[in-house]
Amino acid sequence: MNKFKGVDYFNADSLLTEDEIMVRESVREFVDAEIIPIIELNYREGKFPFELVPKMAEIGLFGSTLPQKYGCAAMNNVAYGLVTQELERGDSGIRSFVSVQSALVMYPIYAFGSEEQKDFWLPKLAKGEKIGCFGLTEPDFGSNPSGMITKAEKIDGGYLLNGAKMWITNGTIADVAVVWAKFNGVVNGFLVEKDFKGFSAPETKGKHSLRASVTSELIFDNVFVPESNILPKTSGLKSALMCLNQARYGIAWGVVGSMMACYDSALNYAKSRKQFSKPIAAYQLTQDKLVFMVTEITKAQLLNIQLGRLKDQNKVKFTQVSLAKRNNCQKALEIARVAREILGANGILDEYPVMRHSANLESVKTYEGTHEMHTLILGEDITGFAAFD
Amino acid sequence: MKIVVCVSHVPDTATKIKISADEKNIDSAGVSYVINPYDEFAIEEALKTKEKIGGEVYVVTIGNEAAKESLRKALAMGADEAIHLKYDGYLDSLNVAKNLAEEIKSLNSQLVFMGKQSIDFDNCVVPQMTAELLDYNSISVCVSFSLDGNKVTCEREIEGGKEVVESQLPIIVGAQKGLNEPRYASLKGIMAAKKKTIQEKNCTFTNNSVELIKIKKPASKNPGRILGTDVSVVPELVRLLREEAKAI
C-alpha cells in the first residue's frame, strides 16, 4: 500500500508552523506503524488495543496541551487538533480514548482540581499509568444533562453518591472517573476511584460502532467519596459543559482524519478498479463523488485551523465549536458513505477502512452533543430564540 | 562524552523521482525529504548510549537550508545539539567525509554513529572514509552495539550470517537496519526542539575529486506479454525464453 501523504488541496500546510507540522508527521508515522496494522482485527473482535496505551503515553498523546510540570507537552490547540486528526485517521475509537483521557479527565482535573489532585493524578494520567473516564450522560438524560438524577449527600468526611451514568467511554478500564452529580441541587464534579465500594462499571455489549473502544455504564450504589475527591473549583453544570467543549473541539479535528482515510481509500480504489473499458475514476459519476469529498475535506481543514487559532487566542465561542463539530461530523459521515459506494461490494469488507469509519462516525455524530443539539445551539445563537427548554 | 551522529536529508523512499533539466539533480518540487532511514538507527543508538553512560548527542548534517528539517527531527527525538554544515550542491563522498571529520575533530568526539549508507547516492563509504581521515576505528553494517569502558563490541551482518567484532574508542559505527527500533519524535521532544538553536557553519572542503556528470533513470521495463492461456503455448514460451530473453 502507498504511504499516506495527507490531503492538502488548498496548501493549508502554509497556515501551520514548522512544529505543528512536525507534531502531525510524528503522530501520522505512529498511526501508520502502530494503529493501522492492528485496528481491523481489534475492531472485528470488539477489543480495545490496550497495548497501545504505554506507546501513546511515550510519544505524549495524553493531555498534550497541559503544562510540562505534569509531564505534558504544553502544545497549542492547533497542534492538539492535528493529533486528534491523525489518530482518527487510524480509528475513531482510539481517538476517543485519547480525547477522554485528555479533554474529559486531565482537563477537568487541571481546571477544577486542587493542587494535590493535580499533582497526584496528572503525571500518572500523562504516563498512561492511570486511565480515566468521564460520567455526565445518564440513561434518561442525554441532551438535557441538567435533569440528572445522580446525586451526592454530605456525610461525615465526604459524600455518598447514588445514581447511574451511561455511554461512558473507557468506563470499565478506568482507574478514576470524573463524575458529575447534584449536591444540594447544584452539579458538582467528583473523582470516583475504581476500588471505591459500591462503584461498578459493566461494559456495554453489542455495539456496531466504536468496536475498538470500551463503552460502559457506571453504577453508584451508596459510594463513599472522601472530601479530598470533590473537584473544588467547579461552578455547576457549566464546568461539565466546558469539558465537553474541549472534547468537541478535538472531534471537529478528529473526523477530518476519518474523511482523509475514506477519501484516500476511495481515490486509490477508483484509479485501479476497471469496469468496462477504463478505471472507474474516469467516469463522471465517480469524479463527482471524489470532488465532493476533497471539497468537504478542504473546507473542514480551513474551518479547523481558524477555530484552533481562535482557541489559542482565547477568543473562541462555544457556538463556533458547535458549528465545526456539527458540520465536520456530518460531512465525515457523508464522505464515508460515498466512499463505500465507490468501493462497491469491496467497501463492506474490513480489507478497506471505510465501513469501519462509517460505523464509527454514526457514534461520533451523536456523542458530545448530538447533531440536532448543535443545530439548536446555533439556531438560538443566531436568532435569539431557544428552540428547547 | 560527546556522541556525534551524522545524518543525511534524503528524498522519501516512496517518492517518484523526476530528473531536473540540467540532468545533474533531481527535481525537488513535490518531493518530500526525510532523515536517511539508516541514520535514524544511528540517532536511536546514540540516544540509547547517552541514556546508559550520559553525555550529549550532537547531530551533524551537510546540506542546503532544507536539511535543517532533519536536524529538527533529530533534536525532537532527543539530540542535544545540532550543527548544520551548509552546502547547496553536490559534494562527493570524500568531501562529505572531510567536512564531517573536521567537525568531529573540533567536537573532540570519540564515538560517532552514522547510517551505513545514505539512500540517495548509495556510495556506502562515508563512515569508513571519515574514520580513516581521523585515524579512528570503524565498524559498519552493525546490527548490535555495546560499549564497555573503551571496548566496543558489534555484530555485523555478513553474507548468510553475522560476525561479532571487537574494537575500541575512538570509533565510527555504521548502522544497519535491525540495530534498534528508532523512537518517534515525542510531542514534548518537538516542543523542546523548538527552543534549541541550530549552529550553522560553512563547508570547508568543496573541491570534488569525483564529478557528477549526469543522472539517468533506469531503463523502463517492457510490459509483459500474454502468449495464451493453455499448454499449447509452452513450446513458444520455451523458444522465447531461450532465444529472446536468453534466460534458459
Side-chain angles (χ1 to χ4, degrees):
Chain A
M1 213 180 79
N2 287 336
K3 195 173 150 193
F4 178 73
K5 286 250 177 69
V7 180
D8 187 10
Y9 202 73
F10 256 51
N11 195 14
D13 271 13
S14 64
L15 301 172
L16 301 173
T17 63
E18 197 185 340
D19 50 288
E20 286 161 356
I21 290 174
M22 269 180 91
V23 165
R24 183 189 63 198
E25 296 305 309
S26 194
V27 180
R28 183 171 288 175
E29 245 177 76
F30 178 84
V31 169
D32 279 333
E34 310 285 347
I35 297 180
I36 289 178
I38 58 136
I39 195 64
E40 296 296 351
L41 192 62
N42 280 272
Y43 194 90
R44 199 188 291 177
E45 291 176 352
K47 200 169 121 266
F48 170 69
F50 217 86
E51 65 278 11
L52 287 179
V53 175
K55 292 180 184 177
M56 294 197 286
E58 201 180 322
I59 104 162
L61 298 184
F62 304 142
S64 52
T65 56
L66 298 184
Q68 289 180 343
K69 70 168 179 169
Y70 302 115
C72 304
M75 300 188 322
N76 69 15
N77 284 289
V78 170
Y80 170 64
L82 290 164
V83 168
T84 64
Q85 171 192 295
E86 291 308 313
L87 287 172
E88 195 142 0
R89 185 174 65 84
D91 187 75
S92 304
I94 309 300
R95 198 272 305 141
S96 296
F97 181 92
V98 174
S99 285
V100 168
Q101 183 88 346
S102 302
L104 297 181
V105 179
M106 295 177 75
Y107 168 76
I109 292 174
Y110 174 69
F112 312 122
S114 65
E115 290 308 313
E116 293 74 29
Q117 288 166 344
K118 288 194 243 187
D119 290 343
F120 179 80
W121 287 107
L122 294 178
K124 293 182 178 65
L125 290 159
K127 283 192 199 127
E129 292 167 4
K130 298 282 180 192
I131 290 168
C133 71
F134 177 90
L136 176 66
T137 297
E138 298 189 354
D140 294 323
F141 296 91
S143 295
N144 53 345
S146 61
M148 71 170 67
I149 291 171
T150 302
K151 64 177 200 301
E153 277 171 78
K154 187 80 187 87
I155 58 166
D156 198 20
Y159 303 85
L160 210 53
L161 212 60
N162 277 292
K165 299 289 176 182
M166 209 165 170
W167 307 118
I168 310 305
T169 300
N170 296 352
T172 312
I173 56 173
D175 300 287
V176 62
V178 175
V179 176
W180 301 90
K182 277 184 184 163
F183 170 57
N184 287 339
V186 179
V187 174
N188 269 274
F190 299 87
L191 300 176
V192 179
E193 298 175 40
K194 73 168 174 195
D195 49 3
F196 282 5
K197 203 162 161 270
F199 172 44
S200 59
E203 191 170 350
T204 306
K205 294 288 185 187
K207 289 184 298 175
H208 280 304
S209 176
L210 294 180
R211 289 183 53 76
S213 164
V214 174
T215 310
S216 319
E217 194 179 347
L218 307 181
I219 299 164
F220 311 99
D221 179 13
N222 282 323
V223 178
F224 173 71
V225 180
E227 189 66 54
S228 57
N229 278 34
I230 188 170
L231 292 175
K233 295 185 214 155
T234 61
S235 40
L237 185 63
K238 184 173 160 255
S239 299
L241 298 180
M242 280 168 72
C243 302
L244 293 186
N245 219 32
Q246 295 290 324
R248 287 166 185 169
Y249 171 81
I251 293 168
W253 279 88
V255 293
V256 175
S258 295
M259 293 184 196
M260 294 197 295
C262 291
Y263 170 70
D264 190 55
S265 183
L267 180 64
N268 286 327
Y269 185 87
K271 289 204 280 196
S272 63
R273 169 76 171 171
K274 279 189 183 150
Q275 290 290 279
F276 305 101
S277 58
K278 51 189 181 182
I280 59 171
Y283 291 99
Q284 292 180 358
L285 287 175
T286 311
Q287 290 186 358
D288 180 52
K289 291 179 169 113
L290 292 167
V291 169
F292 160 75
M293 290 182 187
V294 79
T295 306
E296 291 307 331
I297 291 170
T298 303
K299 283 149 77 175
Q301 284 172 327
L302 297 173
L303 198 62
N304 281 345
I305 293 173
Q306 173 63 0
L307 185 74
R309 296 285 176 235
L310 288 173
K311 190 161 163 60
D312 280 327
Q313 295 160 18
N314 282 323
K315 286 182 185 163
V316 77
K317 297 195 294 179
F318 72 94
T319 49
Q320 291 167 328
V321 178
S322 282
L323 189 147
K325 193 270 180 189
R326 177 184 179 277
N327 175 75
N328 295 1
C329 289
Q330 173 65 31
K331 294 303 169 192
L333 186 55
E334 288 172 20
I335 285 174
R337 288 171 178 164
V338 171
R340 210 287 307 149
E341 289 170 14
I342 291 177
L343 269 77
N346 278 307
I348 71 162
L349 295 179
D350 64 9
E351 198 179 320
Y352 300 93
V354 298
M355 194 82 184
R356 178 170 49 83
H357 280 293
S358 180
N360 280 338
L361 289 165
E362 292 287 349
S363 298
V364 180
K365 187 184 170 187
T366 289
Y367 72 17
E368 306 293 345
T370 63
H371 185 79
E372 293 77 2
M373 279 313 298
H374 288 299
T375 310
L376 298 184
I377 288 168
L378 288 161
E380 181 188 10
D381 190 48
I382 60 176
T383 66
F385 297 110
F388 53 101
D389 302 338
Chain B
M1 182 162 80
K2 285 179 181 168
I3 305 169
V4 170
V5 190
C6 305
V7 303
S8 193
H9 193 59
V10 300
D12 191 345
T13 45
T15 301
K16 285 198 182 110
I17 299 289
K18 274 192 222 139
I19 291 168
S20 61
D22 66 358
E23 296 188 306
K24 285 183 191 286
N25 212 329
I26 61 164
D27 187 354
S28 60
V31 174
S32 57
Y33 282 76
V34 295
I35 297 184
N36 175 41
Y38 295 110
D39 297 340
E40 287 202 3
F41 303 119
I43 296 168
E44 178 63 31
E45 205 58 30
L47 295 173
K48 276 168 70 176
T49 307
K50 174 193 154 178
E51 281 156 13
K52 267 184 221 140
I53 64 166
E56 306 90 51
V57 172
Y58 283 71
V59 54
V60 181
T61 195
I62 297 176
N64 60 13
E65 198 54 29
K68 280 204 171 68
E69 214 180 292
S70 280
L71 292 177
R72 287 253 170 251
K73 179 156 183 206
L75 289 171
M77 286 171 79
D80 301 284
E81 304 277 343
I83 299 162
H84 183 189
L85 303 176
K86 294 200 303 188
Y87 192 71
D88 195 356
Y90 173 79
L91 283 182
D92 66 16
S93 298
L94 184 59
N95 272 330
V96 171
K98 281 180 179 171
N99 287 304
L100 291 177
E102 193 181 60
E103 193 54 39
I104 293 161
K105 199 192 274 174
S106 82
L107 288 168
N108 192 24
S109 167
Q110 306 290 297
L111 178 58
V112 179
F113 293 95
M114 48 180 106
K116 70 170 173 109
Q117 73 190 87
S118 68
I119 59 154
D120 47 3
F121 291 104
D122 270 342
N123 285 315
C124 310
V125 291
V126 171
Q128 297 86 338
M129 275 183 169
T130 312
E132 194 59 32
L133 291 166
L134 288 163
D135 202 16
Y136 280 18
N137 297 317
S138 84
I139 308 176
S140 197
V141 204
C142 291
V143 289
S144 84
F145 168 84
S146 69
L147 180 67
D148 182 11
N150 256 356
K151 195 178 87 177
V152 173
T153 310
C154 288
E155 276 183 352
R156 299 186 62 245
E157 235 173 38
I158 54 171
E159 189 64 38
K162 283 178 189 172
E163 63 181 13
V164 181
V165 293
E166 269 183 19
S167 185
Q168 54 190 355
L169 301 181
I171 197 165
I172 295 185
V173 176
Q176 163 72 321
K177 184 177 180 178
L179 178 61
N180 51 45
E181 199 59 52
R183 66 196 65 187
Y184 299 99
S186 76
L187 307 189
K188 251 197 300 184
I190 294 169
M191 292 301 122
K194 238 167 94 171
K195 297 187 191 101
K196 296 177 188 168
T197 51
I198 293 175
Q199 220 186 110
E200 289 185 2
K201 296 181 178 178
N202 287 318
C203 280
T204 314
F205 305 97
T206 56
N207 286 325
N208 289 329
S209 42
V210 174
E211 197 188 340
L212 176 69
I213 306 294
K214 192 174 175 182
I215 296 178
K216 291 196 284 189
K217 286 186 110 173
S220 56
K221 284 184 191 158
N222 290 324
R225 208 184 326 158
I226 297 169
L227 301 174
T229 53
D230 57 37
V231 291
S232 69
V233 299
V234 171
E236 175 64 2
L237 177 64
V238 171
R239 188 189 69 79
L240 287 171
L241 285 172
R242 183 172 292 141
E243 292 172 16
E244 206 172 280
K246 296 187 170 36
I248 52 174

